[in-house]
Amino acid sequence: MGRRPLALLTQREAACRACGDLARDSEELFLQHPDAEIIMRFPGHAVPTGARIPAETGDDRTRFNAARDLKAYAGSAPVTRESSKSRRVRHHQVKNSRSAATGRHWAFAALTARCPRPPPQPSTGRRRPLLRGPPPPVQPHARSAPPEPDLPSEI
């Protein structure tokens, strides 16, 4: 192997080691958080996803007075613009992307936890018979055939 591929492999190994160390340290810190037990009860929130919530919103519990304030911060609350004659409800374009991604992950996990897939049907051990031979001929539709010409009848 050449020097450049070896150098790239060495850099990759160092980056993977650093990533593992960061994940281990963030897990330890998240489990020390006072709200870690509550956050871990949400469907779909394990340590990496659950640690993202306090990291994005901060430790100050009085920062958001109501749930709608947190929804607006994450970008999942609709924006309503009203005037005297019209009312428009639009999707929020400016948002915290990492919080919005966590919300989507949480919603998908909650849906799949409440609606599990049906259990697989027991196998009978038989397979569908294979179709062998040429396919059956296609029958033309009665209206698609051209009309037959009128032939003079001989008397």
Side-chain angles (χ1 to χ4, degrees):
M1 234 187 215
R3 289 184 182 185
R4 178 172 273 178
L6 285 176
L8 290 173
L9 283 175
T10 305
Q11 289 176 354
R12 182 179 178 272
E13 287 175 8
C16 289
R17 245 188 332 273
C19 185
D21 293 342
L22 180 63
R24 195 171 33 258
D25 293 343
S26 64
E27 180 177 352
E28 289 175 11
L29 289 173
F30 172 66
L31 293 176
Q32 294 172 5
H33 193 273
D35 294 334
E37 282 186 40
I38 297 169
I39 294 171
M40 294 285 284
R41 288 183 189 163
F42 296 156
H45 281 300
V47 173
T49 317
R52 194 178 289 178
I53 293 174
E56 293 297 326
T57 59
D59 287 338
D60 186 15
R61 291 184 179 187
T62 61
R63 180 176 179 191
F64 302 105
N65 295 328
R68 67 175 178 224
D69 298 337
L70 182 59
K71 282 177 65 175
Y73 176 74
S76 60
V79 177
T80 305
R81 303 275 187 223
E82 294 185 50
S83 68
S84 61
K85 295 182 180 181
S86 67
R87 179 180 184 188
R88 293 182 302 165
V89 178
R90 296 179 16 181
H91 180 68
H92 197 76
Q93 297 295 328
V94 179
K95 62 182 178 267
N96 184 328
S97 299
R98 291 179 296 274
S99 296
T102 304
R104 284 190 298 272
H105 180 75
W106 178 18
F108 180 74
L111 287 174
T112 55
R114 291 183 184 166
C115 303
R117 291 184 179 172
Q121 297 296 323
S123 176
T124 59
R126 294 183 300 162
R127 296 181 77 185
R128 237 176 15 162
L130 295 175
L131 300 175
R132 301 209 182 252
V138 177
Q139 300 293 329
H141 192 272
R143 291 189 178 181
S144 63
E148 293 184 16
D150 293 328
L151 298 173
S153 61
E154 294 182 25
I155 304 180

